[in-house]
Amino acid sequence: MARIAGVNIPTNKRVVIALQYIHGIGAKFAHDITQKVGIPAERRVNELTDAEVIQIREAIDREYVVEGDLRRNVAMNIKRLMDLGNYRGLRHRRGLPVRGQRTHTNARTRKGPAKPIAGKKKRGGGGGGGGGTGGRPPTSRCSCWNYGSADIETKDTNWQKLKARASSAKSARTSPLASRM
């Protein structure tokens, strides 16, 4: 197994594919490296000589920023944006999408798993006929399908109290004492 840029690249794969296991080297850079070193595209890693492995290693060290150095550069760039306090830095600091994606829905990769909100109920489907707490009421039940019998009784008593308050307020407005003030 060849070790290049601190990574053990797989031995049974083609060189162009195996080089892509190194952070910072994609398909284009892997093709460029193999052409510069003069390795055919169909050559496998276990068929490379020690001299070819050394040539690949030197070409990568000389021309490309890979692995730890690349990760450090990216981290420093993000830290610089956060220290400046510009928009992109604030989005990084808050853990939100940086490049203008919507956050009303989605963005779960950056925001993490959804956190439940106290007092918010899940909405069910929009179809009728079934039970549940959301959507249209089931067709086989009464119009008060969302409430149990205890809830209906408390709603009735609350309604009566409100009705009594309204009538007392109305009578207070029409009383002769209220007209003097």
Side-chain angles (χ1 to χ4, degrees), residues 122-176:
K122 286 186 178 178
R123 295 192 60 180
T133 58
R136 296 194 330 242
T139 53
S140 61
R141 291 177 148 181
C142 68
S143 63
C144 57
W145 64 278
N146 244 351
Y147 310 106
S149 60
D151 289 339
I152 293 171
E153 291 170 10
T154 56
K155 279 188 165 288
D156 287 343
T157 56
N158 289 344
W159 174 248
Q160 289 169 354
K161 289 176 185 176
L162 285 172
K163 196 173 180 183
R165 279 191 205 144
S167 65
S168 66
K170 187 176 181 182
S171 64
R173 274 188 263 130
T174 58
S175 70

Side-chain angles (χ1 to χ4, degrees), residues 76-94 97-98:
M76 293 279 288
N77 289 339
I78 292 171
K79 187 176 183 318
R80 178 180 53 84
L81 290 172
M82 290 193 295
D83 291 342
L84 286 173
N86 62 6
Y87 183 77
R88 285 172 54 204
L90 293 176
R91 302 298 281 184
H92 275 293
R93 192 179 302 157
R94 293 179 185 157
V98 177

Side-chain angles (χ1 to χ4, degrees), residues 39-51:
I39 297 173
E42 62 276 354
R43 179 85 62 91
R44 305 244 169 208
V45 174
N46 56 6
E47 299 169 356
L48 290 174
T49 64
D50 290 337

